[in-house]
Amino acid sequence: MAHTRLPSLSLSLSPSHTHTHTHRWHASFSPYSSPFVHPGRHRADIDKQKQSKDSVYFRDGVRRIDFVLSYVDDQTKDGEKKLERRKEFEANLLKVGLQLETEDKSESDDGKTYFLKIHTPWEVLATYADVLKIKVPFKVNDIPSHQEMTVKCFSKPFRLPETVMNPEPDYFTSPFDKNKIDFFLIDNKETFFPPSTRNRIVYYILARCPYYKEEHKDKDKKGIKRLLNNGTYTAAFPLHDCRYWKPSKDSNCESERYNLYKYWARFFRFYKEQPLNLIRKYYGEKIGIYFAWLGFYTEMLTYAAVVGLICFIYGLFTYDENVWSQEICNPEIGGQIVMCPLCDKKCGYWKLNSTCESSWQSNLFDNVGTVFFAIFMGIWVTLFLEFWKRRQARLEYEWDLVDFEEEQQQLQLRPEYETKCTGRRLNRITQEMEPYLPITSQCARFCLSGTTVLFWMALIIASMIGVIAYRLAVYAAFSSIMKENSTKLQVVGSLITPQLATSVTASCINFVIIMVLNFLYERVAIWITDMEIPKTHLEYENKLTMKMFFFQFVNYYSSCFYVAFFKGKFVGYPGKYTYMFGGQSNLRNEECDPGGCLIELTTQLVIVMAGKQVWGNIQEALVPWLWNWWGSRKARNHPESLYSRWEQDHDLQNFSQLGLFYEYLEMVIQFGFITLFVASFPLAPLLALLNNIIEVRVDAWKFTTQFRRPVAAKAHSIGAWEEILNGVAILSVVTNAFIVAFTSDMIPRLVYYYAYHPGDSPTMEGYINNSLSIYEISQFPEHNRPDQYRDYRYPPGHKREYSHSMQFWHILAAKLAFIIIMEHVVFVVKFFVAWMIPDVPSEVKARIKRERYLIQEYLHNYEVEKLKLQLSQSNGGHVQCDAAQIMAAERHQVLSECL
């Protein structure tokens, strides 16, 4: 990339340069397009009634609007500073070569907002396309595509029209070179670069253009982002090409927004494929790759949802074969077993058959199918990631991203980094001076950032401990109320047990705390990432991604980890209970329900996961719609012909630079729910599938109708999220093995069935009584005297009374053996599957090699023919430079200075 670096920004021009640019500007602009002319001076020349409200062109109807800036007059002292900044900024834009046109505030729907429209002429587009190495077509792709007719036949009901799926022909492409214009397929210079490429180039210029005066040279006064932050401009956005509900009347407009809404954003199209090529063409590769990943993830969820539903149905069909639940519900067995109080003083003795309902419910998820599903999900997640890599490789080829290197973006420094880092040092690669952040400053910022992240994680853990204390206190209160009002609450008590009431209310409170902390930390994470001053946009996104994910991981999953691996594991036994905070409180550590903690983990998972998904969809769809409805209330009273395209888009919500980041984060958190804890709830993939079917269309509707058009950006992968998904996939194997072993009752049942059953043939009869231990009431303190409790300990009178029995150690050994066997089996299968499935399909590899070969061949032939032509024209003479070449050279010098 060293050959693409140009001199640093400097717009101080000599008098001759100034004269040349002034003359050129007058030659190419109408008088009212100058930002220095009073916006209302030429209103007599404007007739908006004759201009289509969907026009995306200047008033001349020829020059396309590539970008729009809006601002409001401010009569205060600060308003004068803003006016001065705008003048300098717009003057520098003119010097770069952009063309401007201003709309008066009296023509806007609110009567306050000015709109500055920007057009990029061919010379500027060509120069920046060369610098940014934008790939453009030079020959129609003549490699025959491989199509499977049988698959195509079966998928016909789910397919969209070919014109929508492939809106443009397939070409061989090559990085644009301004010196080889005739090499590329340029039929019309005005339409050669699509609108998404044009707005990407304009934003690149806006982000680096200064607004300081020539004599001051304040290097920190640079870029549209700072001007938006200080209120100089109120908005900066590219235009949609038409209204979403009907196509543009102008035949020169593509009406791609209308096609996206018609074939993609409508909910009743949920069974149709996504027009990914059209999405990529309209919004850019970065947004296109997100929807490709979301669609592929949703498609793969279908298989997991079907298997999970089968496991749940298996639990329903084996409902009546549940011997241990029958024993619990049997008045002669469970009704005769008196259990220890689950809390001190306020809790009383209770009979085992009071947990009859929860025992039946637990069997729906805690059965043999659970083990199978946990193993299946370990393999499914590997298949998902491996097949996504293949899909991503195919998209890289189809979208001309094969040679797209992250280093190209890494060499493009963030404007904030350039302005805040005052030190300069020599770059060994480019041999040019560049800004840098001293190592001492880096260490200090890193320490402050790390401390802040740890503090907020500790805050999450503290809030979780508070919820645990709530569970203990409220359980005691519920138990006391049920005990004192047993006759009055007989009907309610049969439906709502203290355990269920405590679990549901605690889960709801935990969900509220999660959402509040999430709202606060989003702002904290952005602040500390800005404080670290990342060097590139890629580095900025990766740092913010890791901070947000670690926080969300602890925030959303901590309560599930507590219920799965800690609740009921450290309770002690009667006479020697373990208390919270080391015995300094009267809050005894929680015990699991006799049916196990799995049903409570299921409750926690359903409330947090479903609550997050419902709240997220409401927030994503309803909030932007309400803001847009309120913002456009004045415009709705105006005639349609007065509501221009830029005003319509201005009233929409802004899609922030981190908008896509939040979309990925939401889906990755969901991915964690359906993989880390899926052994406790086989229906989790089904819930995720239903949510994602809605999510795809909600996101499509939101992008198409409620948000301004985002600036197009390139990306050849999902970035750091891929590594996060791999990490979650590996961790999910471990967590599900531990859930089956320690949270589920599966292993104790199997040990009893094969080793401790009564009689000669294996049976589950007597399991419940076998899983309980006896305690002598007379040995217990006065305030709470139990009878039986759930554990494997020797009875009173035994020489090792109340110590763990041999059956306990057999069960523990079986649990550990199951974890080791399951992990090794799943990991071996995972690595074998990953080895068997290549990341890049062989067909794609062959096509990439073929395309590279043809590109080199055509380039070689082109250079040879061009050399022959030059030799035939020169004839040993000297070539004279005319005035046009001199002017072009001067323009190239100014563009180089801006870059």
Side-chain angles (χ1 to χ4, degrees):
M1 284 297 296
H3 62 281
T4 65
R5 290 185 63 89
L6 297 170
S8 59
L9 180 63
S10 175
L11 289 171
S12 56
L13 303 173
S14 63
S16 60
H17 284 164
T18 305
H19 174 76
T20 303
H21 284 285
T22 304
H23 175 75
R24 188 178 297 119
W25 174 80
H26 279 297
S28 59
F29 285 80
S30 58
Y32 51 75
S33 64
S34 171
F36 306 109
V37 180
H38 190 276
R41 182 178 300 177
H42 295 277
R43 286 186 56 197
D45 300 332
I46 304 171
D47 185 1
K48 292 190 71 175
Q49 297 287 349
K50 293 182 179 179
Q51 187 179 23
S52 169
K53 73 173 188 173
D54 273 331
S55 174
V56 292
Y57 292 91
F58 276 16
R59 296 189 189 96
D60 57 17
V62 177
R63 291 171 293 174
R64 189 182 186 106
I65 302 172
D66 297 316
F67 226 86
V68 174
L69 306 181
S70 66
Y71 59 91
V72 178
D73 254 350
D74 191 349
Q75 302 301 325
T76 63
K77 185 181 239 182
D78 189 47
E80 296 178 2
K81 294 181 180 178
K82 293 178 182 177
L83 177 61
E84 195 64 30
R85 294 191 202 111
R86 283 196 295 268
K87 284 185 177 180
E88 296 299 330
F89 186 68
E90 291 167 17
N92 289 332
L93 290 180
L94 290 172
K95 293 175 183 177
V96 171
L98 299 181
Q99 299 177 3
L100 312 178
E101 185 176 80
T102 305
E103 288 288 333
D104 182 29
K105 67 178 181 180
S106 62
E107 301 294 334
S108 62
D109 56 350
D110 60 2
K112 301 177 182 178
T113 307
Y114 292 94
F115 291 96
L116 178 68
K117 299 174 288 185
I118 302 175
H119 170 74
T120 318
W122 167 257
E123 187 177 350
V124 178
L125 288 172
T127 301
Y128 280 86
D130 192 353
V131 172
L132 296 175
K133 298 302 174 188
I134 293 174
K135 285 191 172 183
V136 293
F138 69 91
K139 185 183 183 299
V140 176
N141 191 340
D142 55 1
I143 300 178
S145 59
H146 178 69
Q147 296 182 350
E148 299 181 6
M149 299 303 295
T150 54
V151 176
K152 190 174 181 179
C153 180
F154 283 112
S155 64
K156 188 175 181 180
F158 309 102
R159 298 188 67 82
L160 292 172
E162 187 65 21
T163 54
V164 177
M165 288 301 297
N166 299 294
E168 53 188 12
D170 190 13
Y171 293 102
F172 288 128
T173 59
S174 177
F176 186 79
D177 189 341
K178 193 177 178 181
N179 298 321
K180 301 176 182 177
I181 294 293
D182 52 341
F183 176 72
F184 303 101
L185 299 177
I186 305 177
D187 294 330
N188 186 346
K189 291 184 177 180
E190 294 300 321
T191 60
F192 180 68
F193 293 106
S196 57
T197 302
R198 296 173 71 102
N199 72 57
R200 178 184 162 208
I201 289 174
V202 175
Y203 187 76
Y204 184 86
I205 297 172
L206 294 176
R208 287 157 176 79
C209 189
Y211 55 91
Y212 54 76
K213 292 184 179 180
E214 294 182 6
E215 62 271 17
H216 286 96
K217 300 295 183 184
D218 298 324
K219 295 297 183 182
D220 62 330
K221 293 185 176 181
K222 180 190 298 184
I224 188 63
K225 189 174 180 179
R226 285 179 63 89
L227 292 174
L228 290 171
N229 290 338
N230 61 32
T232 303
Y233 291 99
T234 56
F237 54 92
L239 291 179
H240 284 295
D241 58 6
C242 66
R243 289 169 289 175
Y244 65 85
W245 63 89
K246 65 180 184 179
S248 175
K249 296 177 181 178
D250 191 340
S251 59
N252 293 324
C253 285
E254 301 84 358
S255 296
E256 291 173 349
R257 185 191 188 192
Y258 166 74
N259 288 330
L260 285 171
Y261 176 73
K262 181 180 178 181
Y263 296 103
W264 180 48
R266 289 180 176 177
F267 177 74
F268 292 107
R269 295 271 181 177
F270 70 90
Y271 62 93
K272 294 284 189 180
E273 61 184 337
Q274 297 186 86
L276 294 178
N277 288 329
L278 185 58
I279 297 170
R280 171 243 181 170
K281 183 184 177 192
Y282 192 75
Y283 290 114
E285 288 80 2
K286 192 170 186 178
I287 290 177
I289 205 80
Y290 163 73
F291 280 104
W293 176 81
L294 179 58
F296 183 80
Y297 171 46
T298 304
E299 181 183 339
M300 289 294 292
L301 272 176
T302 306
Y303 306 105
V306 170
V307 177
L309 184 60
I310 292 173
C311 291
F312 179 75
I313 293 173
Y314 171 81
L316 283 175
F317 279 115
T318 58
Y319 195 76
D320 295 331
E321 301 174 7
N322 186 358
V323 177
W324 51 91
S325 292
Q326 293 174 3
E327 291 185 349
I328 290 176
C329 298
N330 192 334
E332 302 299 325
I333 302 177
Q336 300 299 318
I337 297 176
V338 180
M339 301 295 293
C340 298
L342 295 176
C343 64
D344 292 341
K345 296 183 181 180
K346 294 183 180 180
C347 299
Y349 296 100
W350 53 284
K351 291 188 177 180
L352 185 60
N353 64 349
S354 65
T355 62
C356 177
E357 291 297 327
S358 63
S359 176
W360 285 114
Q361 294 166 4
S362 178
N363 183 63
L364 293 175
F365 308 108
D366 191 3
N367 51 61
V368 178
T370 303
V371 180
F372 167 76
F373 191 59
I375 296 174
F376 169 80
M377 286 303 293
I379 300 171
W380 174 88
V381 74
T382 304
L383 291 173
F384 164 65
L385 294 173
E386 291 301 318
F387 282 127
W388 165 246
K389 290 177 184 177
R390 291 172 61 85
R391 175 70 173 132
Q392 188 171 258
R394 193 177 295 276
L395 285 176
E396 284 184 34
Y397 167 74
E398 293 175 355
W399 290 358
D400 294 324
L401 299 171
V402 173
D403 296 324
F404 175 76
E405 298 292 341
E406 296 293 351
E407 287 75 11
Q408 293 182 8
Q409 288 190 345
Q410 289 174 357
L411 285 176
Q412 297 171 10
L413 304 180
R414 293 175 66 233
E416 295 83 357
Y417 181 85
E418 294 178 317
T419 56
K420 292 181 181 179
C421 299
T422 56
R424 292 289 187 275
R425 68 179 176 186
L426 184 67
N427 186 312
R428 295 182 179 179
I429 299 175
T430 62
Q431 292 298 307
E432 294 182 8
M433 300 300 292
E434 65 176 12
Y436 81 102
L437 193 64
I439 187 67
T440 53
S441 179
Q442 290 183 34
C443 292
R445 292 170 188 272
F446 177 79
C447 292
L448 179 59
S449 173
T451 304
T452 307
V453 172
L454 291 176
F455 168 78
W456 278 86
M457 287 187 176
L459 186 62
I460 297 171
I461 296 173
S463 66
M464 186 188 70
I465 294 174
V467 173
I468 295 172
Y470 163 85
R471 297 164 72 105
L472 296 173
V474 170
Y475 177 80
F478 272 128
S479 299
S480 178
I481 293 171
M482 299 291 285
K483 181 180 179 182
E484 295 172 1
N485 302 277
S486 57
T487 55
K488 297 180 182 179
L489 301 176
Q490 186 174 4
V491 177
V492 178
S494 62
L495 300 174
I496 303 176
T497 62
Q499 293 98 325
L500 179 62
T502 303
S503 176
V504 171
T505 55
S507 297
C508 292
I509 292 173
N510 185 63
F511 174 70
V512 173
I513 293 174
I514 285 172
M515 300 311 294
V516 171
L517 288 175
N518 187 41
F519 174 80
L520 295 174
Y521 187 76
E522 281 183 6
R523 282 129 188 93
V524 174
I526 292 173
W527 174 75
I528 58 179
T529 307
D530 288 338
M531 180 266 299
E532 291 177 358
I533 318 180
K535 188 174 183 179
T536 65
H537 289 290
L538 183 67
E539 186 180 344
Y540 181 90
E541 287 189 8
N542 288 343
K543 286 188 174 184
L544 183 61
T545 297
M546 298 309 297
K547 290 182 181 66
M548 284 297 297
F549 176 75
F550 282 133
F551 174 82
Q552 298 271 25
F553 185 92
V554 178
N555 196 20
Y556 281 106
Y557 303 146
S558 57
S559 58
C560 293
F561 272 105
Y562 164 73
V563 175
F565 305 124
F566 297 98
K567 184 180 178 182
K569 306 299 187 294
F570 310 100
V571 297
Y573 61 93
K576 199 174 181 181
Y577 284 120
T578 305
Y579 290 82
M580 194 175 182
F581 305 117
Q584 298 178 3
S585 67
N586 295 324
L587 301 177
R588 209 170 83 192
N589 283 356
E590 285 186 287
E591 294 186 39
C592 286
D593 188 90
C597 277
L598 194 73
I599 189 65
E600 189 169 339
L601 176 59
T602 302
T603 304
Q604 180 78 21
L605 183 65
V606 170
I607 289 177
V608 176
M609 179 181 172
K612 181 184 183 301
Q613 292 182 163
V614 171
W615 174 252
N617 283 325
I618 292 175
Q619 193 176 24
E620 286 185 15
L622 189 60
V623 173
W625 181 82
L626 287 175
W627 278 112
N628 291 336
W629 177 84
W630 180 256
S632 62
R633 64 191 185 281
K634 293 181 180 179
R636 290 195 296 270
N637 298 325
H638 290 200
E640 270 198 359
S641 56
L642 295 180
Y643 198 25
S644 60
R645 164 60 34 217
W646 46 89
E647 290 170 309
Q648 293 177 53
D649 287 6
H650 181 263
D651 289 339
L652 298 178
Q653 292 296 296
N654 179 48
F655 188 76
S656 67
Q657 186 180 359
L658 298 176
L660 210 57
F661 166 82
Y662 294 119
E663 301 292 344
Y664 273 119
L665 183 61
E666 179 186 6
M667 288 296 102
V668 171
I669 293 298
Q670 181 203 82
F671 180 81
F673 277 123
I674 69 165
T675 54
L676 294 174
F677 309 103
V678 74
S680 67
F681 188 47
L683 294 180
L686 180 61
L687 287 182
L689 175 63
L690 296 176
N691 172 80
N692 286 9
I693 291 174
I694 299 173
E695 179 77 19
V696 171
R697 303 303 158 177
V698 167
D699 284 349
W701 173 82
K702 181 177 62 177
F703 271 84
T704 309
T705 67
Q706 303 302 310
F707 281 97
R708 298 169 186 159
R709 186 173 184 172
V711 178
K714 276 188 173 291
H716 67 87
S717 68
I718 61 175
W721 298 111
E722 192 167 326
E723 296 302 321
I724 290 174
L725 291 174
N726 283 321
V728 172
I730 294 172
L731 182 61
S732 68
V733 177
V734 180
T735 56
N736 283 301
F738 272 84
I739 286 173
V740 174
F742 287 97
T743 309
S744 165
D745 263 3
M746 182 59 59
I747 303 301
R749 291 172 193 160
L750 292 175
V751 171
Y752 176 82
Y753 183 78
Y754 289 107
Y756 288 89
H757 63 272
D760 296 331
S761 59
T763 179
M764 289 302 298
E765 293 181 3
Y767 168 73
I768 291 299
N769 200 50
N770 176 267
S771 66
L772 301 174
S773 297
I774 301 175
Y775 192 83
E776 182 63 45
I777 295 178
S778 61
Q779 299 179 13
F780 202 80
E782 291 291 332
H783 64 271
N784 198 336
R785 292 188 172 183
D787 187 1
Q788 282 189 311
Y789 58 99
R790 191 161 191 259
D791 207 344
Y792 295 94
R793 295 179 184 271
Y794 290 112
H798 194 277
K799 62 180 181 179
R800 297 177 60 191
E801 65 176 6
Y802 306 135
S803 62
H804 283 121
S805 64
M806 186 57 64
Q807 186 175 353
F808 168 83
W809 299 109
H810 287 166
I811 291 173
L812 180 61
K815 289 180 177 180
L816 296 176
F818 172 81
I819 291 173
I820 294 172
I821 293 172
M822 178 179 169
E823 285 183 355
H824 279 71
V825 168
V826 175
F827 277 130
V828 167
V829 174
K830 278 170 62 70
F831 290 130
F832 179 74
V833 169
W835 175 73
M836 286 288 293
I837 303 174
D839 292 347
V840 182
S842 57
E843 174 201 352
V844 174
K845 287 182 179 178
R847 291 171 72 89
I848 291 173
K849 291 179 181 178
R850 170 67 176 165
E851 182 169 335
R852 285 176 176 170
Y853 167 75
L854 291 177
I855 289 173
Q856 293 298 324
E857 183 181 10
Y858 278 100
L859 278 173
H860 173 73
N861 294 337
Y862 168 80
E863 294 291 350
V864 170
E865 293 298 325
K866 192 172 182 179
L867 182 59
K868 289 180 180 178
L869 183 63
Q870 289 177 352
L871 291 174
S872 63
Q873 290 178 349
S874 61
N875 292 323
H878 298 283
V879 181
Q880 298 292 328
C881 293
D882 57 14
Q885 290 176 317
I886 296 173
M887 292 175 66
E890 291 177 351
R891 171 61 60 85
H892 180 73
Q893 180 182 357
V894 173
L895 291 172
S896 301
E897 290 173 349
C898 183
L899 283 168

